[in-house]
Amino acid sequence: MKVRLALALVLLAGLTACTSAAADDGRDNCDDWPVYATPSEALEQADWVVTADVAEAVGSETIHGAEAHVYSVTTVGLPLFKGDAVGHENLKIISTPQKCSAGEPYPAGDPLLDQKRVILFLTREGTGDTWRTITPEQGVLPATGDASLPDRWPT
């Protein structure tokens, strides 16, 4: 009887430890986001790559279970790297969240927050005119003054 009780306690302790480890492992990623070695590699995978002036945050959208920030951007007269050459004055862009649950969706910071002119690597979200950055970390690149795509990511 004592052996069964001891075995039950060991099993219960083991299950509790596994549950706690799973809950506290720090993983709350939406997907295993691809990592692009260069901006050119990200350009190949994106649906639309365009230079844009970020105006302001204009709301939020639920993406992968998280409240993602939505920004208004302007692309009129700015360099286009891939996709349709339609200039937009008030295009809504979703900044893809780094996490997919309640709480802070951008623990490492929102890459569009406080940006002015950027190069956006975008994919269409759904069937409408909603666009989002292709990954949380490599969907936004500060624009250079020479209107070209940089060879590498900033360090």
Side-chain angles (χ1 to χ4, degrees), residues 93-110:
I93 300 295
I94 299 169
S95 181
T96 300
Q98 298 157 354
K99 293 193 131 198
C100 297
S101 65
E104 175 55 45
Y106 306 97
D110 183 342

Side-chain angles (χ1 to χ4, degrees), residues 35-44 121 138 149-153:
V35 176
Y36 303 110
T38 64
S40 294
E41 188 178 315
L43 179 128
E44 290 174 20
F121 297 82
Q138 294 180 315
L149 190 66
D151 294 335
R152 58 184 163 308
W153 299 107

